[in-house]
Amino acid sequence: MTNRRRDGLAVLSRLKRHEIEAVAQQMAAVNSALARIEAERKDLLDHINESGESDGLEGARLRSAFIRNVSETIRGKDAEATRLRESSAGVHQRLNDLFSDAKRLDMIAARRAEQRKRRRDQRETAAQNEAFLAIWMQDRMS
């Protein structure tokens, strides 16, 4: 194999690694956003639970409106989290595909390196055999 082909394979490998890093960063951003949403959701639920009992009818109305508002916000956070999870599935699949491509490139590079080693070993063996044959013929002639 020529050096250009090996260099081309190395370039492809580096490109795949860069793509993997970029997609991994996207996954990290999605996971960070999901963690933020979950933390906000938990804070809202804690806030509902911490708000005291209301005094009288007016307090009950305010508490009820507050709970509805927080519940609506929580539903919005849940919808956003669901949307992020769905989009992260595509990113996760892309990451798996890139890992698969990178592994395939690594296997090709390893197989080609093994073929180069095998050919080099065969050439060395042939050269040694020729040298031994020349020595043997020289010994026979003398």
Side-chain angles (χ1 to χ4, degrees), residues 24-38 84-85 88 92:
Q25 287 175 350
Q26 288 176 347
M27 278 297 285
V30 167
N31 289 339
S32 174
L34 283 171
R36 180 186 45 77
I37 289 170
E38 188 58 36
L84 280 172
R85 283 187 192 95
S88 74
H92 187 69

Side-chain angles (χ1 to χ4, degrees), residues 1-19:
M1 177 189 332
T2 65
N3 284 338
R4 290 183 72 189
R5 289 178 83 189
R6 278 194 301 265
D7 290 345
L9 197 56
V11 168
L12 284 175
S13 241
R14 282 194 305 272
L15 284 173
K16 285 297 171 194
R17 278 195 302 273
H18 287 297
E19 283 184 77

Side-chain angles (χ1 to χ4, degrees), residues 9 12-13 16 100-110:
L9 197 56
L12 284 175
S13 241
K16 285 297 171 194
S100 176
D101 290 347
K103 184 65 175 171
R104 190 174 14 263
L105 287 172
D106 288 346
M107 288 171 46
I108 290 170

Side-chain angles (χ1 to χ4, degrees), residues 33-47 70 73-74 77 80:
L34 283 171
R36 180 186 45 77
I37 289 170
E38 188 58 36
E40 290 172 359
R41 185 181 183 280
K42 183 184 176 306
D43 288 344
L44 288 169
L45 287 172
D46 289 345
H47 194 61
V70 170
T73 304
I74 288 172
K77 299 280 181 200
E80 186 180 352

Side-chain angles (χ1 to χ4, degrees), residues 57-107:
L57 187 59
E58 188 60 31
R61 282 188 201 138
L62 287 174
R63 181 163 167 74
S64 176
F66 173 74
I67 290 173
R68 274 194 307 275
N69 188 6
V70 170
S71 295
E72 187 176 312
T73 304
I74 288 172
R75 278 192 298 277
K77 299 280 181 200
D78 288 343
E80 186 180 352
T82 300
R83 184 186 53 75
L84 280 172
R85 283 187 192 95
E86 288 170 358
S87 73
S88 74
V91 173
H92 187 69
Q93 183 59 45
R94 176 77 175 128
L95 190 60
N96 284 342
D97 291 345
L98 287 171
F99 275 129
S100 176
D101 290 347
K103 184 65 175 171
R104 190 174 14 263
L105 287 172
D106 288 346
M107 288 171 46

